[in-house]
């Protein structure tokens, strides 16, 4: 019998190596779990005015409307700022709203469904990238554990997309693992598509969150490159070129937004300050929100399983004094992100902290030497992660909103006191129209009729004046008059607004109070007046730069195709014994979850009402309105900040918007620190329910109270019944105690705070 020649595995053709490898059942399981988890976003309660999720829905509506009108890249939000419009789409990263609008226009015809589909796809991409990246570095078992920790972390799937409602930030957080995976592929030189893929993912990050997540992605990319230092030193020029191409691809957004930001005033929206996040908040177990709380406290926790597995992996390596370089790098990255998040109160970094922690926790599997122990440690980690996710699953419950996601819904959102449609709470709004001014009654009435007419003729009686088309980026009229006319077009002034009359350009003069443009029209029998939001020189230059970036991307792909030294790697997948155990575990977890949630064999878990008040001091202060203060919580002043949490409820619905001012007063009655007026909650009091309580977070600085060591907190609440009214000038509410005694308009919390003298 002739001798058989055995060809080494690394010398086999790629198609043979890929065929011998078989189907990656671990990666398929990760994708299935990510899709199952994303079904929690498909309920009608995902989009709500109680958090920032509704702003993406409003921007998606404006983008879809512009598409139907033939505008390929909309830059104007026509219904924001009480109907005056604002360049919100021009300054807001467009990728999330743009993709959601494309899906809604071509497939779903529903904004909420298209946003849910966007979240499903991006979560699946992020989880698959996490699994594949870990597969290359730690193996199949650790990859399955790390992807499970990441997917079932409350910081990833619940905190940012569901509780905070920052859907664009959540999408950006899920794109960062995709960026690291693309960077790692480029360093491994797997195929000709690696460098172009890296450029595209980098452009997507810029178009989603150009400020925070792009900087975080560069930092994490440096950490990933340190694990392949030799390849990174050899390919650094190619990596830089890919990032430059991605930056050029997204120039149509960031370049005009950056240059034209100084041409418009920026007004700060009023919002409730976010609670102060401490280091312990990341490691505490997840607690389901109190079902009767209107504004649940923020919980940026990584999850019980992530913390336990991270501590086990780090602790074992510390005891054995045998550190894995992979674990050390990502542990340092996690610590740095945590410190930055706590110091600057950057909650949007929470998903990235969870991702780095998942990479470190995945190395827990490798601390065992034998395959048998690694296999059972993998299953134990998955069971722990799935069990810890149960309270998070129960927290996905919310009452759907009654607001419509259209033009009328945006006006109702603003008139109810929620903020400015399309702009998250606390962000600045590009607007010349002052928020302290009263909205235009005629414009609001036109919106009620569904046919907004923004043109006002100031003098003369035209022979003919008819509105032909009212679109998101302009209006078209037919004007006929024997005498000259002076007109006013009601819109928020911004660079790019133009007008033409019978094809002749018309000079638009912005009005000083920001209510529109004034212009003059010559006599004409029947001419077309067109007022529209056009382009500028900078926007045209940015479009040319983006086209150049696209050309550079094609050239990069062609240059990469000419290379013949690609080195594809095929790491080992889960073996048959692993697959049998994983399938058995999946079936057992499915049966256990069904039995537990149905309550047939075990009582279904319930959330205790009022649990959010167990650490607060209960009081009962009524007021001259339906407002009642039911509890408060004051943290001892450890540095220069006093943090106060107030708990309110309404005895009956109210039509007033209530604002709060607070102060620090010494025991002698001297006012030490005053805070500006703020809403009682990010949910306006006109939208409060009587069966729930709501919280206000107040932070007072002690810098101005250096001379006092004992002080108290005082409160004043002002009603506001209309927009454009300075609520602080109205009479404050009068408070009463349980016996009906009049406490006056200034309520003093019954607790004396002390601070040791320096």
């Amino acid at each position: 019998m002739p001798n058989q020649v055995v060809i080494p595995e690394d010398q086999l053709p790629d198609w043979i190596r890929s065929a011998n490898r078989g189907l990656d059942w671990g990666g398929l399981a990760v994708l299935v779990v990510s899709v199952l988890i994303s079904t929690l976003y498909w309920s009608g309660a995902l989009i709500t005015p109680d958090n920032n999720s509704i702003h993406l829905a409003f921007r998606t509506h404006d983008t879809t409307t512009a598409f139907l009108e033939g505008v390929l890249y909309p830059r104007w939000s026509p219904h924001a700022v009480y109907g005056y419009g604002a360049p919100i789409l021009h300054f807001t990263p467009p990728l999330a709203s743009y993709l959601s609008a494309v899906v809604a226009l071509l497939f779903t015809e529903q904004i909420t469904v298209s946003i849910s589909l966007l979240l499903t796809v991006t979560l699946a991409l992020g989880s698959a990238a996490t699994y594949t990246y870990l597969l290359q570095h730690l193996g199949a078992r650790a990859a399955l554990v790390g992807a499970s920790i990441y997917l079932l972390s409350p910081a990833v799937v619940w905190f940012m997309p569901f509780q905070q409602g920052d859907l664009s930030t959540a999408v950006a957080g899920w794109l960062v693992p995709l960026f690291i995976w693309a960077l790692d592929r480029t360093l491994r030189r797997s195929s000709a598509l690696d460098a172009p893929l890296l450029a595209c993912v980098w452009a997507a990050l810029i178009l989603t969150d150009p400020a925070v997540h792009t900087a975080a992605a560069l930092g994490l990319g440096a950490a990933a490159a340190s694990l392949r230092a030799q390849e990174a030193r050899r390919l650094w020029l190619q990596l830089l070129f890919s990032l430059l191409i991605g930056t050029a691809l997204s120039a149509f957004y960031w370049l005009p937004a950056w240059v034209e930001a100084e041409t418009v005033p920026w007004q700060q929206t009023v919002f409730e300050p976010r609670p102060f996040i401490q280091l312990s908040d990341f490691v505490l177990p997840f607690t389901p929100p109190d079902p009767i709380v209107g504004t649940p406290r923020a919980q940026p926790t990584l999850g019980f399983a992530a913390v336990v597995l991270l501590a086990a992996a780090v602790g074992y390596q510390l005891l054995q004094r045998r550190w894995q370089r992979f674990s050390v790098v990502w542990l340092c990255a996690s610590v740095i992100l945590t410190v930055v998040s706590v110091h600057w109160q950057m909650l949007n970094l929470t998903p990235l902290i969870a991702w780095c922690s998942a990479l470190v926790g995945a190395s827990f599997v490798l601390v065992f030497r034998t395959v048998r122990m690694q296999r059972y440690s993998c299953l134990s980690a998955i069971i722990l992660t799935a069990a810890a996710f149960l309270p998070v699953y129960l927290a996905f419950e919310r009452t759907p909103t009654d607001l419509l996601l259209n033009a009328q819904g945006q006006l109702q959102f603003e008139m109810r006191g929620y903020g400015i449609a399309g702009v998250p709470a606390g962000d600045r709004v590009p607007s010349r129209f002052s928020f302290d001014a009263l909205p235009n009654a005629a414009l609001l009435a036109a919106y009620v009729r569904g046919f907004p007419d923004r043109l006002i003729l100031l003098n003369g009686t035209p022979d003919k004046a008819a509105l032909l088309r009212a679109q998101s980026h302009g209006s078209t009229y037919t004007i006929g008059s024997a005498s000259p006319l002076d007109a006013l077009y009601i819109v928020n002034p911004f660079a790019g607004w133009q007008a033409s009359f019978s094809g002749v350009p018309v000079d638009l003069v912005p009005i000083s109070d920001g209510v529109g443009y004034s212009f003059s029209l010559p006599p004409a029998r029947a001419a077309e007046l067109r007022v529209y939001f056009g382009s500028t020189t900078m926007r045209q230059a940015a479009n040319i730069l983006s086209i150049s970036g696209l050309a550079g991307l094609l050239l990069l792909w062609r240059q990469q195709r000419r290379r013949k030294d690609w080195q594809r790697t095929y790491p080992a997948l889960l073996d048959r014994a692993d697959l049998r155990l994983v399938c058995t575990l999946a079936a057992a977890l499915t049966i256990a979850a069904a039995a537990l949630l149905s309550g047939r064999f075990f009582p279904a878990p319930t959330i205790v009402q009022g649990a959010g008040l167990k650490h607060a001091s209960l009081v009962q202060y009524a007021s001259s309105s339906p407002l009642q203060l039911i509890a408060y919580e004051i943290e001892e002043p450890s540095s220069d900040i006093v943090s106060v949490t107030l708990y309110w409820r309404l005895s009956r619905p109210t039509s007033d918007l209530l604002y709060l001012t607070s102060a620090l007063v010494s025991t002698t009655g001297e006012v030490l620190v005053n805070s500006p007026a703020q809403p009682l909650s990010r949910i306006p009091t006109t939208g409060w329910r009587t069966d729930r309580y709501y919280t206000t977070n107040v932070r007072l600085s002690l810098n101005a109270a250096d001379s006092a060591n004992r002080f108290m907190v005082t409160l004043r609440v002002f009603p506001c019944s209309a927009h454009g009214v300075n609520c602080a000038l109205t009479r404050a509410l009068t408070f009463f105690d349980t016996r009906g005694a009049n406490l006056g308009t200034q309520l003093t919390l019954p607790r004396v705070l002390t601070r040791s003298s320096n």
Side-chain angles (χ1 to χ4, degrees), residues 328-350:
V328 172
V329 168
W330 290 114
L331 178 62
C332 293
S334 177
V335 171
I336 292 174
L337 287 176
T338 304
V339 171
V340 171
S341 179
V342 173
H343 186 270
W344 281 283
Q345 295 294 293
M346 300 176 67
L347 296 179
N348 43 6
L349 291 178
T350 304

Side-chain angles (χ1 to χ4, degrees), residues 710-734:
R710 293 168 57 85
F711 40 84
M712 306 177 73
V713 179
T714 62
L715 312 171
R716 292 169 65 90
V717 179
F718 299 89
C720 185
S721 58
H723 293 263
V725 178
N726 190 348
C727 301
L729 298 179
T730 60
R731 180 175 175 80
L733 298 182
T734 303

Side-chain angles (χ1 to χ4, degrees), residues 100-112:
S100 300
V102 170
V103 173
L105 185 63
L106 297 180
F107 303 105
T108 64
E109 298 183 355
Q110 295 183 12
I111 293 177
T112 55

Side-chain angles (χ1 to χ4, degrees), residues 31-47:
L31 287 177
V32 171
V33 173
S34 66
V35 172
L36 291 177
I37 292 177
S38 64
T39 57
L40 299 170
Y41 304 139
W42 287 78
S43 66
L46 174 66
I47 306 299

Side-chain angles (χ1 to χ4, degrees), residues 79 82-83 407-408 411 440-456 467 470 477 490:
H79 315 300
Y82 311 110
Q408 288 73 21
L411 292 179
N440 188 289
L443 183 61
L444 296 179
Y447 266 99
V448 173
R449 296 192 299 269
F451 205 58
D453 186 358
R454 301 179 182 273
L455 184 65
I456 298 178
L467 174 62
Y477 300 86
I490 303 176

Side-chain angles (χ1 to χ4, degrees), residues 283-447:
V283 297
L284 290 175
F286 179 83
T287 304
D290 190 344
I292 61 173
V293 62
T295 50
R297 68 178 182 89
Q299 293 191 70
T301 176
L302 304 179
F304 177 76
V307 174
V308 170
L309 293 176
L310 184 146
V314 174
Y316 188 88
Q317 295 179 44
L318 184 63
L319 291 176
Q320 296 295 323
R321 296 182 180 180
R322 188 175 62 252
W323 289 94
Q324 299 176 5
R325 185 181 178 187
F326 184 88
S327 301
V328 172
V329 168
W330 290 114
L331 178 62
C332 293
S334 177
V335 171
I336 292 174
L337 287 176
T338 304
V339 171
V340 171
S341 179
V342 173
H343 186 270
W344 281 283
Q345 295 294 293
M346 300 176 67
L347 296 179
N348 43 6
L349 291 178
T350 304
L352 300 185
I353 299 174
W355 184 72
C356 295
S357 302
L359 299 186
V360 180
S363 62
F364 166 76
V365 178
L366 302 182
V367 301
F368 301 98
R369 298 294 184 87
T370 63
V371 175
R372 181 185 181 89
M373 289 301 299
Q374 289 184 4
R375 182 176 296 137
Y376 284 108
S377 64
C378 172
L379 295 180
S380 301
I382 294 177
I383 293 174
L384 176 64
T385 306
F389 185 72
L390 180 60
V392 183
Y393 177 85
L394 297 176
F396 281 91
E397 186 176 352
R398 186 187 289 147
T399 304
T401 178
D402 60 343
L403 280 175
L404 300 176
L405 303 179
N406 54 17
Q408 288 73 21
Q410 295 186 37
L411 292 179
Q412 292 178 12
F413 177 86
E414 296 182 354
M415 296 304 294
R416 292 181 183 181
Y418 281 98
I420 300 300
V423 180
D427 288 0
R428 297 184 302 164
V429 182
S431 173
R432 294 185 181 274
F433 178 77
S434 175
F435 297 161
D436 295 331
L438 289 173
N440 188 289
L443 183 61
L444 296 179
Y447 266 99

Side-chain angles (χ1 to χ4, degrees), residues 530-757:
R530 183 167 176 250
V531 185
Y532 60 97
F533 185 73
S535 184
T536 62
T537 304
M538 180 53 61
R539 297 168 198 170
Q540 294 172 357
N543 293 337
I544 295 176
L545 182 57
S546 294
I547 295 175
S548 302
L550 181 60
L553 183 68
L554 296 177
L555 291 177
L556 178 63
W557 174 66
R558 287 193 59 184
Q559 185 268 338
Q560 294 293 307
R561 284 193 61 189
R562 296 173 182 173
R563 302 184 58 170
K564 303 299 183 182
D565 56 344
W566 303 115
Q567 301 174 358
R568 295 187 179 182
T569 57
Y570 296 91
L573 303 178
L574 296 174
D575 56 29
R576 292 187 177 181
D578 293 327
L579 291 178
R580 286 195 296 268
L581 288 178
V582 169
C583 292
T584 304
L585 176 62
L589 289 177
T590 302
I591 296 174
L596 184 62
L597 295 178
S598 65
R600 183 172 181 179
F601 302 100
F602 304 96
T606 57
I607 305 176
V608 180
Q609 295 187 1
L613 298 173
K614 62 181 180 180
H615 298 298
S617 301
L618 301 181
V619 293
Q620 190 64 43
Y621 293 130
S623 69
S624 51
S625 79
L627 182 69
Q628 298 176 357
L629 179 65
I630 61 174
Y632 70 92
E633 188 175 353
I634 303 179
E635 296 182 7
E636 287 293 339
S638 56
S639 56
D640 59 345
I641 296 295
V642 174
S643 298
V644 183
T645 304
L646 306 171
Y647 300 88
W648 311 88
R649 66 177 298 271
L650 290 178
S651 59
R652 62 181 186 277
T654 181
S655 59
D656 289 332
L657 298 174
L658 299 179
Y659 285 75
L660 170 74
T661 61
S662 54
L664 287 180
V665 180
S666 66
T667 53
T668 59
E670 178 186 2
V671 178
L672 304 175
V673 180
N674 273 312
S675 70
Q678 67 177 78
L680 292 186
S681 169
R682 67 173 303 155
I683 305 175
T685 49
T686 54
W688 283 13
R689 294 173 47 174
T690 57
D691 58 343
R692 293 185 177 180
Y693 66 87
Y694 298 81
T695 59
T696 305
N697 298 297
V698 178
R699 299 188 67 197
L700 299 170
S701 175
L702 295 176
N703 293 332
D706 292 337
S707 59
N709 295 327
R710 293 168 57 85
F711 40 84
M712 306 177 73
V713 179
T714 62
L715 312 171
R716 292 169 65 90
V717 179
F718 299 89
C720 185
S721 58
H723 293 263
V725 178
N726 190 348
C727 301
L729 298 179
T730 60
R731 180 175 175 80
L733 298 182
T734 303
F735 285 92
F736 305 89
D737 61 12
T738 55
R739 298 173 297 178
N742 190 332
L743 302 178
T745 58
Q746 179 173 288
L747 179 63
T748 302
L749 297 182
R751 179 176 174 182
V752 178
L753 302 177
T754 59
R755 183 181 59 174
S756 60
S757 59

